[in-house]
Amino acid sequence: MSDDLVPVSESIDAELADDDAASMLAGQADIVDAVLAANRVFVAVAAGALANLDPEVTLPQFRALVLIDIHTSMTVAQLAEALGVVPSTATRMCDRLVAKELVDRVVDSENRRQMTLTLRPEGRALIAQSTRQRKREINRLLKSIPADAQAELAEALGLLVQAAHGSDRTRASRRLGPTSGKPSRERKRS
């Protein structure tokens, strides 16, 4: 190994040492490495599923489509908050999604200064097509794993998903009601 290459576990340990909350993970670097490696696989699968879609969308645009789909409708401000971006960035993203005929944007009947976003049938079809592609690719990957290991993997991933659902740090979009599209008044305390 070259002198300038640092093993991944050492780089994880160095990053964790800088974060007080994450320092509790000391000694779990191998697990963190495995989760990060799996995350890279999932991102690659998601990117691959988007590569052949028509119209083309970026990962952030796709995430916006999924959020709008989950919440039925959202304002641009709600979408910006859920994505963790400033409203002007969300507005530009919505401009592109409207131009691609994936999203409808209408003036809110109660507040004319707000724009409400809804998914068009073409947007739902795009999500469905991407989901089918991701399922095919994940199925292809799983075929090389023995059945008993697949069951263990499903259980472990289920625990990780449960942990993520319990964390404010992983899903800002959870502050929005699942179907109301109304933001929660709850604010995260520092």
Side-chain angles (χ1 to χ4, degrees):
M1 177 176 354
S2 143
D3 290 337
D4 59 341
L5 293 178
V6 177
V8 174
S9 61
E10 286 180 28
S11 67
I12 297 282
D13 288 337
E15 287 179 39
L16 293 177
D18 292 339
D19 185 351
D20 289 342
S23 66
M24 290 184 274
L25 294 176
Q28 293 184 345
D30 289 343
I31 295 168
V32 172
D33 286 348
V35 171
L36 285 173
N39 183 56
R40 287 185 200 105
V41 169
F42 294 138
V43 169
V45 167
L50 295 179
N52 298 317
L53 295 181
D54 186 29
E56 291 181 17
V57 293
T58 64
L59 276 170
Q61 288 171 346
F62 186 78
R63 184 168 175 230
L65 292 173
V66 169
L67 285 167
I68 296 166
D69 190 38
I70 288 169
H71 296 287
T72 309
S73 68
M74 300 177 83
T75 65
V76 175
Q78 290 169 337
L79 181 62
E81 181 181 355
L83 292 171
V85 298
V86 296
S88 61
T89 299
T91 298
R92 286 189 301 275
M93 182 183 294
C94 291
D95 290 343
R96 290 179 187 102
L97 294 172
V98 167
K100 293 176 184 186
E101 299 181 347
L102 299 172
V103 169
D104 279 328
R105 179 174 46 194
V106 296
V107 174
D108 189 289
S109 59
E110 294 177 19
N111 181 349
R112 298 184 60 90
R113 293 183 305 166
Q114 282 187 343
M115 301 299 277
T116 301
L117 307 167
T118 57
L119 208 57
R120 294 178 55 115
E122 296 85 349
R124 278 191 196 81
L126 193 88
I127 291 171
Q129 182 183 357
S130 173
T131 300
R132 283 190 302 275
Q133 293 214 196
R134 283 181 293 143
K135 282 182 176 182
R136 276 194 296 268
E137 181 60 17
I138 290 169
N139 187 50
R140 186 188 68 74
L141 294 170
L142 289 174
K143 285 180 180 179
S144 66
I145 299 173
D148 57 335
Q150 286 183 29
E152 290 175 21
L153 176 62
E155 184 178 343
L157 288 173
L159 292 172
L160 184 64
V161 168
Q162 284 177 348
H165 283 294
S167 171
D168 287 338
R169 296 180 84 181
T170 56
R171 302 237 9 229
S173 63
R174 218 177 311 109
R175 287 187 291 236
L176 300 174
T179 57
S180 70
K182 303 278 187 216
S184 166
R185 298 291 174 223
E186 193 178 318
R187 293 287 176 223
K188 193 169 135 181
R189 293 189 170 108
S190 298

